[in-house]
Amino acid sequence: GESVGLHLPTLSVQEGDNSIINCAYSNSASDYFIWYKQESGKGPQFIIDIRSNMDKRQGQRVTVLLNKTVKHLSLQIAATQPGDSAVYFCAENRAGGTSYGKLTFGQGTILTVHP
Amino acid sequence: SQTIHQWPATLVQPVGSPLSLECTVEGTSNPNLYWYRQAAGRGLQLLFYSVGIGQISSEVPQNLSASRPQDRQFILSSKKLLLSDSGFYLCAWGPNLNTEAFFGQGTRLTVV
């Protein structure tokens, strides 16, 4: 569920390294998950998504992994670049029920890439 | 292509004054619409979402209200602002239920 009100965790990496950002979700009824990137002063931007019938999905330099057993989602960024520095949020959407269509965000992680 | 417009970008309002933030979407019909608030250095808190005209779901009890007078218009309002209403307000739209949402550029509200 939502973890608002908490200070965001941080991840610092060197340019060129791979980054892994993790997210835990609590609603087992969620069947669609999204990763967003938010740069300072801007709205979040869509990065990649995955549905619950998949375990892994790859994009350009990014991979999302979904473990439904432990309700865990991760975003892997390959060859991290300074331009990847931002806050990363996972979000979940639930199919059916009274919360159908409600997009709920996770806590967020601040990624800092050092040149 | 679809676009989302949110204004104003920044707003400074005195305590007790009213608020009206407007969000419009172009290039699509019957979108899901969302209002989120983000405190400095924090996550996104879902305030309201709407799946159709006149249909508003409120997520947290608060000093704010939302309305959807037209299919692609979503308004966030308050009759009397509190200091705690300060934050970064984001409007978003989604093309269907159970899909991603696309965000506007946000309004930074400072209540003084």
Side-chain angles (χ1 to χ4, degrees), chain A residues 11-115:
Chain A
L11 174 65
S12 292
V13 301
Q14 290 295 126
E15 181 178 1
D17 287 351
N18 295 333
S19 301
I20 300 176
I21 301 171
N22 297 301
C23 177
Y25 64 95
S26 59
N27 191 341
S28 58
S30 294
D31 71 340
Y32 178 63
F33 304 89
I34 311 161
W35 279 101
Y36 284 91
K37 173 186 179 182
Q38 186 180 26
E39 297 176 319
S40 180
K42 297 183 179 180
Q45 291 179 292
F46 172 88
I47 301 174
I48 191 169
D49 59 359
I50 189 168
R51 295 207 176 267
S52 59
N53 61 352
M54 301 173 67
D55 297 322
K56 178 180 180 179
R57 190 165 187 220
Q58 289 184 291
Q60 186 178 9
R61 283 202 306 118
V62 295
T63 300
V64 56
L65 299 177
L66 175 63
N67 186 330
K68 295 179 288 294
T69 302
V70 296
K71 295 199 281 286
H72 182 268
L73 194 67
S74 68
L75 176 71
Q76 300 178 3
I77 305 174
T80 315
Q81 303 167 0
D84 294 327
S85 294
V87 180
Y88 289 81
F89 293 96
C90 65
E92 59 184 298
N93 208 335
R94 176 183 166 187
T98 58
S99 296
Y100 195 30
K102 169 183 166 182
L103 189 62
T104 304
F105 278 73
Q107 184 180 20
T109 297
I110 300 172
L111 175 65
T112 303
V113 182
H114 301 284

Side-chain angles (χ1 to χ4, degrees), chain A residues 2 4-8 31-32 34 36 38 42-44 46 51 89 93 98-103 105, chain B residues 32 34 36 38 41-46 49 51 59 88 90 97-105 108:
Chain A
E2 297 180 59
V4 295
L6 301 177
H7 289 282
L8 304 182
D31 71 340
Y32 178 63
I34 311 161
Y36 284 91
Q38 186 180 26
K42 297 183 179 180
F46 172 88
R51 295 207 176 267
F89 293 96
N93 208 335
T98 58
S99 296
Y100 195 30
K102 169 183 166 182
L103 189 62
F105 278 73
Chain B
N32 290 340
Y34 306 87
Y36 288 87
Q38 186 175 33
R42 307 294 176 98
L44 281 78
Q45 181 183 31
L46 179 62
Y49 72 105
V51 299
E59 289 301 302
F88 191 46
L90 289 153
L97 296 175
N98 204 230
T99 65
E100 72 275 27
F102 301 95
F103 284 81
Q105 289 303 298
R108 184 152 316 273

Side-chain angles (χ1 to χ4, degrees), chain B residues 1 11 14-15 19 26 29 31 35 40 42-43 52-53 61 64 71-72 75-77 84 96 112:
Chain B
S1 63
L11 188 61
V15 168
L19 173 73
E26 296 177 357
S29 60
W35 277 112
R42 307 294 176 98
I53 296 175
L64 302 168
D71 181 43
R72 290 168 291 177
I75 298 172
L76 183 69
S77 304
S84 58
N96 295 298
V112 296

